[in-house]
Amino acid sequence: MQYYELTTLKTILFGAAKAAPGIQSFLAAGQGQLFGAWAADIGALNEVYLLRGFSDLAALVAERQRVLMSDNPYGCLEYLVNYTTDTYLPFDFVPPIQTGSYGAVYEIRTYHTKLNGLAPTLEKWRAAIPARIEHSAMTIAMYALDGAPRFTQIWPYASANQRAELRAKTVADGIWPPQGGPDWLSPTMTSTLAVPLAFSPLK
């Protein structure tokens, strides 16, 4: 089973570029596969997002412990203000992440569901995603294993303008959002546009 880990590093002002070399070295010395590394561009600024995959929970836990016990977490302590890490499972109908060049901008979008809403949400997304990804690629859709019920989608785009155009078209064509999907969502939603760091396998 594939587990994903999405880490948010809160850096000092303009700290992402300065922190990047240390982050790259730190991740290379640990477990898990790095899929994506991005710096926030629109949304909560001065943040770095790291998406990693683990084949089993033992490897994930070992890597989490390595970070916690490190005297220089993520290799960038001098630039690091705080960090949070969330564990995810992919929606069971989406393919594994394929690294490569897909876009200059990635949208990281998280929805919180009603307390009993995750299972119905997955079924609504299962029905709608095939038509949606005919318009643009999707990196991953995954739900959190810790904290409040929520799920995160990551979408690549050539630009912020392309994102706006594609989202408008899919809404106008009745393709997105999934029919009945919003009925199971809470008002807590976040969306960030982020740009790949130089060492990101997803670009």
Side-chain angles (χ1 to χ4, degrees), residues 16 38-49 192-195:
W38 302 277
D41 187 52
I42 298 175
L45 300 180
N46 301 305
E47 291 187 346
V48 171
Y49 309 103
T192 298
L193 295 187
V195 297

Side-chain angles (χ1 to χ4, degrees), residues 3-6 57 60 64 84-89 110 112 118 143-152:
Y3 295 88
Y4 291 112
E5 178 187 86
L6 185 61
L57 275 176
L60 187 151
R64 196 74 57 85
T84 58
T85 302
D86 297 300
T87 306
Y88 287 86
L89 283 178
T110 297
H112 285 240
L118 187 58
Y143 62 93
L145 289 178
D146 33 30
R150 65 198 185 281
F151 64 98
T152 295

Side-chain angles (χ1 to χ4, degrees), residues 26-105:
F26 186 88
L27 297 182
Q31 298 190 53
Q33 179 181 357
L34 177 67
F35 287 106
W38 302 277
D41 187 52
I42 298 175
L45 300 180
N46 301 305
E47 291 187 346
V48 171
Y49 309 103
L50 305 172
L51 177 64
R52 291 194 284 175
F54 297 85
S55 59
D56 56 65
L57 275 176
L60 187 151
V61 170
E63 181 63 9
R64 196 74 57 85
Q65 288 178 313
R66 184 177 79 97
V67 174
L68 288 169
M69 298 301 177
S70 174
D71 60 358
N72 186 14
Y74 294 100
C76 61
L77 185 60
E78 62 183 308
Y79 307 115
L80 193 59
V81 176
N82 201 358
Y83 71 86
T84 58
T85 302
D86 297 300
T87 306
Y88 287 86
L89 283 178
F91 286 12
D92 61 9
F93 52 87
V94 301
I97 296 173
Q98 299 295 319
T99 57
S101 298
Y102 297 99
V105 173

Side-chain angles (χ1 to χ4, degrees), residues 99-120:
T99 57
S101 298
Y102 297 99
V105 173
Y106 282 71
E107 181 181 25
I108 303 171
R109 195 174 185 92
T110 297
Y111 295 102
H112 285 240
T113 70
K114 295 178 180 179
L115 296 180
N116 63 340
L118 187 58

